[in-house]
Amino acid sequence: MRLHLNEIHDPRAYNEVVAAMPLSSPLQGWAYGEGRRVLGYHPMRFLITDDRGSTVGAMQLLRQQLVPGVNVLYAARGPALESLDLLPHLAAPLRKVARPTDMYVKVEPPNPIEVGRPEDLSTVDLAADQATIPARVGPFLRSETEQPEHTILADLSASEDELFAGLHKMARRNVRTAERMGVQAGRDDDFEAFWDIFQATNARAKLGAFPRAYYEAMLANGNDYGGEAYTVLSRHEGKALAGGFFLALGDTTAYLYGGSIRDERPPTEGDKRKDAKAPDAFYWHSMLDAKEHGYSTYDFWGIPRVLDESKHSFGVFKMKLKFSTHRVWFPAYDLRLSPLAQPLTKALRVRRNYLNKRSRGTTDDIL
């Protein structure tokens, strides 16, 4: 089978194809590429056709210059495809569109690999999970992902009552507590409030963040061309205590960034302010909001590859697991375009370890 990459410059026509593919992701949408442009990437969008002229997929390729004369290509949680069987046939057309300075193409096929739905953390076996992931897909070789490889999905097709019954008992209790305490959660255009929460969370957990202009660029473009970018906040007595940034396209919304803060205000009565369970209210109402807006899949976006109770990510994992136990993996694969590809990936790993150590005190990745 021969496939062809046809560059497209019409954002709406491109997004329509991405949204229609069975294997797809909001990160293959136009808005995500515009956000990455702010970080120095050059986005290119292609429709994938076969010899009959049928459109069988779409791909947003991001070219990143590492140093002059050395580039890499990256399809964030992509390409969007009718079937994973098409991926090996993309090698030839990718080699045609690549420049001599492009060392490799990294893809992250949006084809979730199922690993079970544990009732508790003791049943999670990450080594066994990894053993289920193919080492290659045709000429594409298993590699490190740029996006979180391990995540949790929630199926929003059930009724609200069924979704609530499916939550962990602690989540149900905390959501009810938040409701009794008057917590309000839902879509909220107060980007400043989200940004304050996000920055505070990153500083507390030593996570790091992109420049503000990156998130603003996705917001500016995300609600055009058939997609959505939005924030959800959870407020108690008017103060935003938890929130998240979402990017959505097709049938999926992805919770990409967010966090929570403590309520440091003096109590209105008594000698201690009660915990209003704002994070639980945030997760629950963001799921209801997604369902209301027609999304059938909610991607919680990122849980640890290695479980370590001393890390911030472990607490995030436990929180997300209360709202869905459907864990999946989205592995990455590289198509090597140059003999320098393999030593370059090793050098990038060394560089990442150095940056992690300098900024966070450990060579371990965040997730």
Side-chain angles (χ1 to χ4, degrees), residues 317-337:
F317 180 29
K318 291 198 298 182
M319 170 63 83
K320 293 178 178 180
L321 204 61
K322 291 191 302 183
F323 291 86
S324 176
T325 59
H326 183 193
R327 296 186 304 112
V328 300
W329 296 78
F330 287 96
Y333 296 88
D334 287 353
L335 175 67
R336 296 173 183 173
L337 304 174

mmCIF file of all heavy atoms in Angstrom, residues 317-337:
data_model
loop_
_atom_site.group_PDB
_atom_site.id
_atom_site.type_symbol
_atom_site.label_atom_id
_atom_site.label_comp_id
_atom_site.label_asym_id
_atom_site.label_seq_id
_atom_site.Cartn_x
_atom_site.Cartn_y
_atom_site.Cartn_z
ATOM 1 N N PHE A 317 -1.774 10.531 40.799
ATOM 2 C CA PHE A 317 -2.256 9.226 40.334
ATOM 3 C C PHE A 317 -3.420 8.755 41.200
ATOM 4 O O PHE A 317 -4.475 8.330 40.691
ATOM 5 C CB PHE A 317 -1.093 8.235 40.374
ATOM 6 C CG PHE A 317 -1.433 6.836 39.924
ATOM 7 C CD1 PHE A 317 -2.425 6.598 38.995
ATOM 8 C CD2 PHE A 317 -0.733 5.752 40.436
ATOM 9 C CE1 PHE A 317 -2.715 5.307 38.566
ATOM 10 C CE2 PHE A 317 -1.015 4.461 40.018
ATOM 11 C CZ PHE A 317 -2.012 4.241 39.086
ATOM 12 N N LYS A 318 -3.256 8.824 42.512
ATOM 13 C CA LYS A 318 -4.319 8.361 43.407
ATOM 14 C C LYS A 318 -5.593 9.183 43.236
ATOM 15 O O LYS A 318 -6.702 8.644 43.282
ATOM 16 C CB LYS A 318 -3.841 8.421 44.859
ATOM 17 C CG LYS A 318 -2.766 7.403 45.212
ATOM 18 C CD LYS A 318 -2.658 7.201 46.708
ATOM 19 C CE LYS A 318 -2.255 8.481 47.415
ATOM 20 N NZ LYS A 318 -2.101 8.264 48.878
ATOM 21 N N MET A 319 -5.426 10.482 43.049
ATOM 22 C CA MET A 319 -6.594 11.342 42.852
ATOM 23 C C MET A 319 -7.333 10.960 41.570
ATOM 24 O O MET A 319 -8.554 10.754 41.559
ATOM 25 C CB MET A 319 -6.165 12.810 42.806
ATOM 26 C CG MET A 319 -7.268 13.765 42.355
ATOM 27 S SD MET A 319 -8.709 13.834 43.447
ATOM 28 C CE MET A 319 -8.105 15.008 44.673
ATOM 29 N N LYS A 320 -6.610 10.831 40.466
ATOM 30 C CA LYS A 320 -7.247 10.535 39.185
ATOM 31 C C LYS A 320 -7.876 9.144 39.189
ATOM 32 O O LYS A 320 -8.928 8.921 38.578
ATOM 33 C CB LYS A 320 -6.234 10.672 38.050
ATOM 34 C CG LYS A 320 -5.761 12.102 37.829
ATOM 35 C CD LYS A 320 -4.723 12.204 36.720
ATOM 36 C CE LYS A 320 -4.306 13.651 36.503
ATOM 37 N NZ LYS A 320 -3.289 13.787 35.432
ATOM 38 N N LEU A 321 -7.232 8.211 39.887
ATOM 39 C CA LEU A 321 -7.736 6.848 39.927
ATOM 40 C C LEU A 321 -9.084 6.760 40.638
ATOM 41 O O LEU A 321 -9.840 5.813 40.432
ATOM 42 C CB LEU A 321 -6.715 5.940 40.618
ATOM 43 C CG LEU A 321 -6.757 4.446 40.299
ATOM 44 C CD1 LEU A 321 -6.504 4.192 38.818
ATOM 45 C CD2 LEU A 321 -5.744 3.685 41.146
ATOM 46 N N LYS A 322 -9.395 7.765 41.469
ATOM 47 C CA LYS A 322 -10.698 7.787 42.140
ATOM 48 C C LYS A 322 -11.840 8.048 41.161
ATOM 49 O O LYS A 322 -12.985 7.722 41.424
ATOM 50 C CB LYS A 322 -10.722 8.866 43.231
ATOM 51 C CG LYS A 322 -9.835 8.569 44.435
ATOM 52 C CD LYS A 322 -10.109 9.517 45.589
ATOM 53 C CE LYS A 322 -9.925 10.961 45.222
ATOM 54 N NZ LYS A 322 -10.124 11.873 46.384
ATOM 55 N N PHE A 323 -11.502 8.658 40.003
ATOM 56 C CA PHE A 323 -12.535 9.053 39.054
ATOM 57 C C PHE A 323 -12.622 8.138 37.841
ATOM 58 O O PHE A 323 -13.620 8.167 37.118
ATOM 59 C CB PHE A 323 -12.317 10.511 38.631
ATOM 60 C CG PHE A 323 -12.594 11.469 39.747
ATOM 61 C CD1 PHE A 323 -11.612 11.785 40.678
ATOM 62 C CD2 PHE A 323 -13.849 12.014 39.912
ATOM 63 C CE1 PHE A 323 -11.880 12.645 41.734
ATOM 64 C CE2 PHE A 323 -14.129 12.872 40.959
ATOM 65 C CZ PHE A 323 -13.143 13.183 41.878
ATOM 66 N N SER A 324 -11.606 7.325 37.632
ATOM 67 C CA SER A 324 -11.653 6.287 36.601
ATOM 68 C C SER A 324 -10.469 5.360 36.828
ATOM 69 O O SER A 324 -9.384 5.812 37.212
ATOM 70 C CB SER A 324 -11.583 6.886 35.196
ATOM 71 O OG SER A 324 -11.535 5.855 34.221
ATOM 72 N N THR A 325 -10.675 4.077 36.593
ATOM 73 C CA THR A 325 -9.583 3.103 36.739
ATOM 74 C C THR A 325 -9.126 2.565 35.386
ATOM 75 O O THR A 325 -8.387 1.588 35.326
ATOM 76 C CB THR A 325 -10.018 1.925 37.626
ATOM 77 O OG1 THR A 325 -11.163 1.297 37.038
ATOM 78 C CG2 THR A 325 -10.343 2.396 39.034
ATOM 79 N N HIS A 326 -9.561 3.218 34.319
ATOM 80 C CA HIS A 326 -9.247 2.743 32.968
ATOM 81 C C HIS A 326 -7.872 3.270 32.546
ATOM 82 O O HIS A 326 -7.754 4.300 31.896
ATOM 83 C CB HIS A 326 -10.330 3.201 31.994
ATOM 84 C CG HIS A 326 -10.139 2.693 30.597
ATOM 85 N ND1 HIS A 326 -10.846 3.186 29.535
ATOM 86 C CD2 HIS A 326 -9.319 1.731 30.097
ATOM 87 C CE1 HIS A 326 -10.483 2.565 28.436
ATOM 88 N NE2 HIS A 326 -9.559 1.689 28.751
ATOM 89 N N ARG A 327 -6.835 2.528 32.912
ATOM 90 C CA ARG A 327 -5.455 2.931 32.578
ATOM 91 C C ARG A 327 -5.073 2.434 31.189
ATOM 92 O O ARG A 327 -5.382 1.297 30.818
ATOM 93 C CB ARG A 327 -4.460 2.372 33.594
ATOM 94 C CG ARG A 327 -4.634 2.894 35.002
ATOM 95 C CD ARG A 327 -3.525 2.394 35.908
ATOM 96 N NE ARG A 327 -3.447 0.939 35.895
ATOM 97 C CZ ARG A 327 -2.441 0.241 35.382
ATOM 98 N NH1 ARG A 327 -1.429 0.847 34.804
ATOM 99 N NH2 ARG A 327 -2.446 -1.081 35.432
ATOM 100 N N VAL A 328 -4.385 3.283 30.439
ATOM 101 C CA VAL A 328 -3.901 2.904 29.110
ATOM 102 C C VAL A 328 -2.510 3.493 28.899
ATOM 103 O O VAL A 328 -2.057 4.370 29.649
ATOM 104 C CB VAL A 328 -4.834 3.405 27.983
ATOM 105 C CG1 VAL A 328 -6.239 2.821 28.133
ATOM 106 C CG2 VAL A 328 -4.895 4.924 27.956
ATOM 107 N N TRP A 329 -1.845 2.998 27.857
ATOM 108 C CA TRP A 329 -0.526 3.502 27.466
ATOM 109 C C TRP A 329 -0.585 3.986 26.024
ATOM 110 O O TRP A 329 -1.248 3.385 25.176
ATOM 111 C CB TRP A 329 0.537 2.412 27.596
ATOM 112 C CG TRP A 329 0.758 1.948 29.002
ATOM 113 C CD1 TRP A 329 -0.031 1.084 29.716
ATOM 114 C CD2 TRP A 329 1.818 2.326 29.880
ATOM 115 N NE1 TRP A 329 0.475 0.901 30.975
ATOM 116 C CE2 TRP A 329 1.624 1.647 31.104
ATOM 117 C CE3 TRP A 329 2.924 3.153 29.755
ATOM 118 C CZ2 TRP A 329 2.485 1.779 32.191
ATOM 119 C CZ3 TRP A 329 3.785 3.291 30.832
ATOM 120 C CH2 TRP A 329 3.562 2.617 32.026
ATOM 121 N N PHE A 330 0.134 5.079 25.766
ATOM 122 C CA PHE A 330 0.304 5.601 24.416
ATOM 123 C C PHE A 330 1.809 5.659 24.118
ATOM 124 O O PHE A 330 2.440 6.698 24.293
ATOM 125 C CB PHE A 330 -0.299 7.003 24.291
ATOM 126 C CG PHE A 330 -1.804 7.043 24.273
ATOM 127 C CD1 PHE A 330 -2.522 7.296 25.432
ATOM 128 C CD2 PHE A 330 -2.500 6.838 23.093
ATOM 129 C CE1 PHE A 330 -3.908 7.355 25.414
ATOM 130 C CE2 PHE A 330 -3.894 6.890 23.061
ATOM 131 C CZ PHE A 330 -4.601 7.146 24.224
ATOM 132 N N PRO A 331 2.411 4.561 23.697
ATOM 133 C CA PRO A 331 3.861 4.549 23.460
ATOM 134 C C PRO A 331 4.253 5.360 22.230
ATOM 135 O O PRO A 331 3.433 5.626 21.341
ATOM 136 C CB PRO A 331 4.161 3.063 23.244
ATOM 137 C CG PRO A 331 2.882 2.494 22.723
ATOM 138 C CD PRO A 331 1.796 3.254 23.420
ATOM 139 N N ALA A 332 5.529 5.723 22.178
ATOM 140 C CA ALA A 332 6.085 6.465 21.044
ATOM 141 C C ALA A 332 7.002 5.564 20.233
ATOM 142 O O ALA A 332 7.558 4.580 20.746
ATOM 143 C CB ALA A 332 6.855 7.681 21.536
ATOM 144 N N TYR A 333 7.155 5.946 18.966
ATOM 145 C CA TYR A 333 8.027 5.209 18.062
ATOM 146 C C TYR A 333 8.783 6.204 17.190
ATOM 147 O O TYR A 333 8.234 7.241 16.803
ATOM 148 C CB TYR A 333 7.222 4.254 17.174
ATOM 149 C CG TYR A 333 6.527 3.167 17.958
ATOM 150 C CD1 TYR A 333 5.248 3.367 18.476
ATOM 151 C CD2 TYR A 333 7.154 1.962 18.206
ATOM 152 C CE1 TYR A 333 4.616 2.380 19.222
ATOM 153 C CE2 TYR A 333 6.528 0.960 18.949
ATOM 154 C CZ TYR A 333 5.251 1.181 19.450
ATOM 155 O OH TYR A 333 4.642 0.210 20.181
ATOM 156 N N ASP A 334 10.043 5.885 16.894
ATOM 157 C CA ASP A 334 10.874 6.740 16.053
ATOM 158 C C ASP A 334 11.131 6.085 14.708
ATOM 159 O O ASP A 334 11.406 4.885 14.629
ATOM 160 C CB ASP A 334 12.232 7.009 16.714
ATOM 161 C CG ASP A 334 12.144 7.957 17.893
ATOM 162 O OD1 ASP A 334 11.052 8.514 18.127
ATOM 163 O OD2 ASP A 334 13.166 8.131 18.591
ATOM 164 N N LEU A 335 11.067 6.909 13.667
ATOM 165 C CA LEU A 335 11.540 6.515 12.340
ATOM 166 C C LEU A 335 12.879 7.211 12.142
ATOM 167 O O LEU A 335 12.937 8.444 12.046
ATOM 168 C CB LEU A 335 10.548 6.946 11.260
ATOM 169 C CG LEU A 335 10.991 6.687 9.817
ATOM 170 C CD1 LEU A 335 11.064 5.184 9.535
ATOM 171 C CD2 LEU A 335 10.061 7.390 8.827
ATOM 172 N N ARG A 336 13.941 6.444 12.102
ATOM 173 C CA ARG A 336 15.275 7.026 11.980
ATOM 174 C C ARG A 336 15.544 7.435 10.549
ATOM 175 O O ARG A 336 15.402 6.639 9.622
ATOM 176 C CB ARG A 336 16.321 6.030 12.472
ATOM 177 C CG ARG A 336 16.178 5.703 13.958
ATOM 178 C CD ARG A 336 17.111 4.599 14.394
ATOM 179 N NE ARG A 336 16.914 4.255 15.806
ATOM 180 C CZ ARG A 336 17.503 3.237 16.424
ATOM 181 N NH1 ARG A 336 18.330 2.432 15.736
ATOM 182 N NH2 ARG A 336 17.264 2.998 17.704
ATOM 183 N N LEU A 337 15.950 8.682 10.378
ATOM 184 C CA LEU A 337 16.202 9.230 9.052
ATOM 185 C C LEU A 337 17.681 9.402 8.771
ATOM 186 O O LEU A 337 18.066 9.663 7.625
ATOM 187 C CB LEU A 337 15.510 10.594 8.912
ATOM 188 C CG LEU A 337 14.006 10.634 9.173
ATOM 189 C CD1 LEU A 337 13.507 12.065 9.143
ATOM 190 C CD2 LEU A 337 13.266 9.791 8.147
#
